Amino acid sequence: MAEKVSQTLYEKIGSEEDARACKDIDDSQCKIVAGNFFKILLAQFLSKSGDALMNPKITLPWVMQSLGVPAVFLGWLVPIRESGSMLPQLIIASFVRRLAVRHNVWVVGSLLMSLSMVAVALTIHFSHGMVAGWLIILFLSIFSLSRGLNSVAFKDVLGKTVEKKRRGRISGFATSGAGLVTVIVAVAISLDVAQQHSLTVYTLAFVLAAVCWTLGALIYSRIIEEPGAVDGGRNGFWLAFKRLSLLFKDKPFGYFVLARALMLCSALSAPYYVAIAQQQGQSTLLQLSFFLVAGGVAELVSGPFWGWFADLSSRKVMIIASLVSAVLGALIAISVGSGLITRYGAWLIPGAYFLLTIAHQGVRLGRKTYLVNLGKGNKRTDYVSVSNTLIGAILLFTGFISLLQPLIGLGGILAVLALMGFLGALLATKLPEV
């Protein structure tokens, strides 16, 4: 009965002919593709909901300040959260290549992330000051490394069990659902701040995040995955670094990595929008609540659209989303330089941030879908691990862009990031359609 319901819903997402095609996955997976689709979708939704609850850009800094943690710790949250999951992926991929069935790697990663969030919740409840800061950084590092397992395994399992025309929609629907969770969390947090409740509610948020990853692991463990190739599993440490040669030997992949690096502008620009808004003298709490809601609504409305678009052409999604991000950054930079931001900043910056979040979701979903479709089998695993490792290293160095602020100001930094976005979109036009 459940299988029939899954198949019916799966066919309604697109045409029945497409749902039964299974041209780009193993024949043995064709009869169970609908069930796998919804298991991956639900697990991904729970994972993204967990991300919304422990947001390192908003929730963690807020809690750490409430605990009296020194401000120096705040600057490490986002780099550790992002880079820690990317840098070791060449080594992780070498381990994953030894496994014929790989969805259990995602399960292990999710359970480790769940335990990390429980540890953060206990830290919030029982410690404060410098001790709390070091403990949160430690557990966030474990969380980030565990996430690296998920990143490699997810794209590989997705490529093996779901056909190309449906892969983008999984991330799109999951992102949209998690956007709704973000809006609910944002409203709850803003109401709690207004009423000056204790840290108990924030402790509960991290416990709920842990529950999300635990449930996601249970669902993902039920995926039916046929055994795949395991070549290249031996001497993995050495072979991992040799795979860096893919950047030069595989021209489409090399262009993709460079374009993806330039498209980081969509993620790096967001904090500067918030900083510029705060410079205009607007209420910090009201602005914080609005940015939380705007980000959640943007994910809610843009996820399905980008998912559908990515299934048609993930390359075009990357180009358009990167251009939108670049144009927005350029407009804000011009507004700051001309003084228009003083007159129109109250609505201009929040509106631009909303559109930037939509564009960022397009960049993320487009490049994920493109990378999955670009390679097959172990080559896909190599693509994911090499690109994520290099992007992780680049992310650590992007922090130095902030050193330009005394020279060119916040508007100047946005202009530099906008230029990156334009160049990324231009380079993406050289990529082949997949």
Side-chain angles (χ1 to χ4, degrees), residues 10 17-31 33 37 155-169 310-312 369-370 372-377 380 434:
Y10 184 72
E17 179 182 354
D18 288 340
R20 298 182 185 277
C22 295
K23 294 179 179 179
D24 46 355
I25 62 174
D26 192 270
D27 290 339
S28 60
Q29 293 283 165
C30 187
K31 60 182 180 296
V33 67
F37 177 90
K155 294 181 179 66
D156 192 56
V157 173
L158 181 66
K160 289 175 63 179
T161 60
V162 177
E163 56 187 330
K164 280 186 179 181
K165 295 183 178 181
R166 306 303 176 93
R167 294 169 186 167
R169 265 164 270 199
D311 286 332
L312 295 177
T369 305
Y370 188 90
V372 171
N373 292 341
L374 184 63
K376 295 182 178 180
R380 181 187 294 115
V434 293

Side-chain angles (χ1 to χ4, degrees), residues 295-314:
V297 172
E299 291 181 354
L300 179 64
V301 301
S302 66
F305 169 75
W306 288 128
W308 168 81
F309 197 174
D311 286 332
L312 295 177
S313 175
S314 52

Side-chain angles (χ1 to χ4, degrees), residues 62-79:
W62 197 342
V63 170
M64 290 175 75
Q65 288 182 328
S66 299
L67 293 173
V69 175
V72 67
F73 286 93
L74 302 180
W76 288 100
L77 293 177
V78 173

Side-chain angles (χ1 to χ4, degrees), residues 74-87:
L74 302 180
W76 288 100
L77 293 177
V78 173
I80 289 177
R81 162 65 174 74
E82 300 296 334
S83 300
S85 64
M86 293 182 175
L87 284 173

Side-chain angles (χ1 to χ4, degrees), residues 320-370:
I320 293 173
S322 184
L323 283 175
V324 171
S325 174
V327 169
L328 290 170
L331 288 176
I332 296 298
I334 292 172
S335 299
V336 172
S338 63
L340 291 175
I341 200 72
T342 304
R343 296 176 57 187
Y344 303 108
W347 61 267
L348 179 61
I349 300 178
Y353 181 83
F354 173 77
L355 295 176
L356 175 69
T357 304
I358 292 178
H360 177 59
Q361 292 303 318
V363 169
R364 291 180 70 251
L365 206 152
R367 55 95 173 165
K368 285 182 178 180
T369 305
Y370 188 90

Side-chain angles (χ1 to χ4, degrees), residues 54-385:
M54 58 79 62
N55 194 324
K57 297 179 181 179
I58 300 171
T59 311
L60 270 177
W62 197 342
V63 170
M64 290 175 75
Q65 288 182 328
S66 299
L67 293 173
V69 175
V72 67
F73 286 93
L74 302 180
W76 288 100
L77 293 177
V78 173
I80 289 177
R81 162 65 174 74
E82 300 296 334
S83 300
S85 64
M86 293 182 175
L87 284 173
Q89 286 196 14
L90 276 173
I91 308 303
I92 292 173
S94 296
F95 164 74
V96 171
R97 286 171 67 98
R98 302 178 186 180
L99 304 175
V101 176
R102 300 170 180 177
H103 68 276
N104 288 324
V105 175
W106 197 96
V107 174
V108 172
S110 290
L111 292 176
L112 289 174
M113 288 193 289
S114 178
L115 291 174
S116 299
M117 289 302 98
V118 171
V120 171
L122 292 174
T123 298
I124 294 172
H125 198 70
F126 292 108
S127 64
H128 64 278
M130 183 76 75
V131 173
W134 282 114
L135 288 175
I136 290 175
I137 291 296
L138 171 63
F139 298 134
L140 184 62
S141 299
I142 296 173
F143 171 90
S144 186
L145 292 171
S146 303
R147 193 177 184 84
L149 294 172
N150 286 39
S151 181
V152 172
F154 175 77
K155 294 181 179 66
D156 192 56
V157 173
L158 181 66
K160 289 175 63 179
T161 60
V162 177
E163 56 187 330
K164 280 186 179 181
K165 295 183 178 181
R166 306 303 176 93
R167 294 169 186 167
R169 265 164 270 199
I170 284 182
S171 295
F173 288 138
T175 297
S176 181
L180 178 60
V181 173
T182 302
V183 172
I184 295 173
V185 171
V187 173
I189 288 178
S190 63
L191 291 175
D192 178 69
V193 171
Q195 297 173 22
Q196 296 182 347
H197 286 179
S198 68
L199 286 171
T200 302
V201 68
Y202 304 113
T203 304
L204 179 61
F206 285 94
V207 172
L208 290 176
V211 171
C212 285
W213 277 299
T214 300
L215 292 176
L218 292 175
I219 294 170
Y220 210 84
S221 67
R222 303 299 298 274
I223 290 174
I224 302 174
E225 176 192 358
E226 293 295 322
V230 294
D231 59 293
R234 297 181 180 179
N235 300 318
F237 186 85
W238 173 247
L239 289 175
F241 291 98
K242 291 182 66 175
R243 292 187 193 108
L244 290 172
S245 63
L246 282 172
L247 290 169
F248 309 101
K249 294 180 179 179
D250 193 326
K251 186 171 294 186
F253 177 64
Y255 279 139
F256 167 80
V257 173
L258 183 55
R260 179 184 174 186
L262 292 169
M263 290 179 185
L264 286 172
C265 68
S266 65
L268 298 173
S269 297
Y272 296 105
Y273 281 61
V274 177
I276 291 173
Q278 290 177 335
Q279 284 186 348
Q280 305 309 308
Q282 300 173 38
S283 171
T284 301
L285 291 180
L286 289 177
Q287 201 71 19
L288 175 63
S289 299
F290 180 84
F291 280 126
L292 280 168
V293 173
V297 172
E299 291 181 354
L300 179 64
V301 301
S302 66
F305 169 75
W306 288 128
W308 168 81
F309 197 174
D311 286 332
L312 295 177
S313 175
S314 52
R315 168 180 168 271
K316 290 179 181 178
V317 168
M318 290 191 295
I319 294 172
I320 293 173
S322 184
L323 283 175
V324 171
S325 174
V327 169
L328 290 170
L331 288 176
I332 296 298
I334 292 172
S335 299
V336 172
S338 63
L340 291 175
I341 200 72
T342 304
R343 296 176 57 187
Y344 303 108
W347 61 267
L348 179 61
I349 300 178
Y353 181 83
F354 173 77
L355 295 176
L356 175 69
T357 304
I358 292 178
H360 177 59
Q361 292 303 318
V363 169
R364 291 180 70 251
L365 206 152
R367 55 95 173 165
K368 285 182 178 180
T369 305
Y370 188 90
L371 189 59
V372 171
N373 292 341
L374 184 63
K376 295 182 178 180
N378 276 336
K379 193 172 186 180
R380 181 187 294 115
T381 307
D382 292 340
Y383 280 170
V384 173
S385 59

